[in-house]
Each structure stands twice: as C-alpha cells, then as structure tokens.
C-alpha cells in the first residue's frame, strides 16, 4: 500500500487541548488517562511530532477546550454529561495552573490559536474552519486528547467539511483500552483517511519534505 501524500503547503497540524490538567502530573484529569498515555508513549510522541512538524512548512494549530470560569453551564438548559463534569470539577479553569498550557506544547510565535470549543468538536462554534481555509489547508493531522471525545469529534467534523483527515494512534490517549479501540478500530475507519503512528507519519512527512 502506497504512503499517503501530504501537500506540505496545504497540511496543518492540529493539537487539541494541550493543558496541564490533561498532560501534566498533578493535573485533574491526567491520573485517569495516565495508564494509556504511558502505554502509548504519548508525551514523547507529541514532543517528536512537535519537533518534526516545526521543521517543515506545516502550521501548528492549537485547538483548545473552553476554560472553565465561575458560573459556566449553571444556567444552561441541557449541558452534556462532560460539561456537567467540568462544571463540578472545574477542569481547565481559567487563571489556574490546570488551565495553562503544558510547557512543552505552549503556542510559539506564528502558531494559530483558535477559539475555545465548548463541546467536543474543535470546529463547532469556533473559527477553526475559517482560519484553516484562510491558510489554504486541505489536510489535517489531529493529535491530543481525548481519543474518543474531542479528537474523534474534531476529526469527524473535519471530514464532513471536506478535509483529508489523519489520526495518530500513539499521539493521543483515553481512559480505557476499549475507548482507544473504538476510536481507532471501530469509529476512526469510517471517517479518517489515514490512521497511522507517530514514527510512520514523521518518516512520511520528512520524505516528502526532502523531495521538495
């Protein structure tokens, strides 16, 4: 099977929810996903991808979840179960350490930081699609957290909007093995054009960069 071709000038790297609460020891959610994160080598793989992507003409797009502030969701008619958890647990609280970027994945000069998403999709009710189209992007590589929620919802939405979608198995995590299996073996193949690994993706991108 031939490797997928990525037009580097039309490909974007989407990093979803790189907050301390998700990625750092002491984060409110990290203990729940730590076993899968360690099994996948999540942090090291995200670091490798960050270095590789930044060496190529591929824009880095930070796709952040809404940071909780006092009063959020309390007068909503029907917040989702996830939103109710955020309301009670204060995940990604604005102005607190948990709602700050993990230091290894904080935005750098030239990165695109899109509007914060309230639900799971990075596209719904944000400027992500607009910002990508203004860059001429047609292909998106989506990594971050969580595999079966924000990553899946963002990737599904991307495919509906006509983007070529790549998922990276070991550059994400979830709370359970079953959730990872569903994300990459059951659900992902119905909408993602490519489901790959960090090392495979980096080798592919670098070979295309060298061919330029």
């Amino acid at each position: 099977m031939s490797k997928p071709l990525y037009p580097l000038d039309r490909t974007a790297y989407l990093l979803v929810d790189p907050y301390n609460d998700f990625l750092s020891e002491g984060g409110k959610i990290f203990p729940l996903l730590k076993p899968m994160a360690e099994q996948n080598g999540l942090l090291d793989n995200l670091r490798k991808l960050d270095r590789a992507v930044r060496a190529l003409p591929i824009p880095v797009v930070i796709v952040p979840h809404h940071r909780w502030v006092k009063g959020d969701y309390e007068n909503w008619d029907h917040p989702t179960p996830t939103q109710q958890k955020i309301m009670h647990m204060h995940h990604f609280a604005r102005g607190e350490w948990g709602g700050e970027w993990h230091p290894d994945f904080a935005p750098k000069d030239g990165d695109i930081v899109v509007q914060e998403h309230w639900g799971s999709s990075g596209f719904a009710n944000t400027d992500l699609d607009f910002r990508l189209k203004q860059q001429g992007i047609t292909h998106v590589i989506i990594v971050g957290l969580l595999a079966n929620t924000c990553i899946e919802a963002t990737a599904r939405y991307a495919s509906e909007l006509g983007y070529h979608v790549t998922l990276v198995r070991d550059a994400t995590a979830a709370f359970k093995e079953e959730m990872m299996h569903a994300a990459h073996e059951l659900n992902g193949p119905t909408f993602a054009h490519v489901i790959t690994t960090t090392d495979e993706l980096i080798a592919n991108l670098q070979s295309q960069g060298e061919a330029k």
Side-chain angles (χ1 to χ4, degrees):
M1 185 176 178
S2 61
K3 294 181 180 179
L5 294 177
Y6 293 91
L8 298 183
D9 59 342
R10 292 192 287 117
T11 297
Y13 177 77
L14 276 55
L15 176 57
V16 180
D17 298 348
Y19 290 130
N20 282 323
D21 268 348
F22 262 147
L23 292 172
S24 296
E25 292 284 354
K28 292 176 181 175
I29 308 174
F30 183 72
L32 298 174
L33 59 88
K34 183 177 180 179
M36 292 307 309
E38 291 182 343
Q39 179 177 314
N40 263 2
L42 170 65
L43 288 166
D44 285 342
N45 287 328
L46 288 176
R47 292 182 185 109
K48 288 196 292 185
L49 282 166
D50 186 80
R51 290 192 296 270
V53 167
R54 292 184 184 282
L56 295 166
I58 295 176
V60 174
V61 183
I62 309 297
V63 184
H65 201 285
H66 175 75
R67 289 180 243 211
W68 176 88
V69 296
K70 186 176 181 180
D72 279 351
Y73 313 107
E74 291 179 5
N75 63 349
W76 285 28
D77 184 66
H78 47 273
T80 68
T82 295
Q83 289 163 343
Q84 291 182 42
K85 286 182 181 178
I86 293 172
M87 177 173 60
H88 295 299
M89 299 300 295
H90 306 170
H91 298 153
F92 328 120
R94 191 177 303 278
E96 296 183 11
W97 174 83
E100 294 175 358
W101 311 117
H102 183 289
D104 292 349
F105 311 113
K108 295 179 172 60
D109 289 345
D111 290 354
I112 298 169
V113 181
V114 301
Q115 293 170 341
E116 298 176 358
H117 50 274
W118 286 85
S120 292
S121 171
F123 285 95
N125 305 308
T126 77
D127 59 347
L128 177 55
D129 182 51
F130 178 80
R131 300 286 292 275
L132 293 176
K133 284 185 166 60
Q134 287 298 318
Q135 298 287 323
I137 299 301
T138 57
H139 290 53
V140 291
I141 298 164
I142 305 176
V143 302
L145 299 160
L146 291 164
N148 62 310
T149 58
C150 290
I151 297 300
E152 180 169 331
T154 300
R156 281 182 179 276
Y157 208 123
S159 70
E160 296 286 350
L161 291 170
Y163 292 96
H164 180 284
V165 173
T166 294
L167 298 176
V168 187
R169 295 175 185 274
D170 53 4
T172 186
F175 299 151
K176 298 178 182 178
E177 180 71 46
E178 297 93 321
M179 294 173 176
M180 294 290 285
H181 178 79
H184 300 127
E185 307 303 329
L186 303 179
N187 299 338
T190 68
F191 60 85
H193 300 82
V194 178
I195 302 176
T196 187
T197 67
T198 294
D199 289 342
E200 290 170 348
L201 177 63
I202 289 173
N204 190 357
L205 293 174
Q206 289 177 340
S207 68
Q208 292 180 60
E210 293 166 358
K212 289 289 184 180

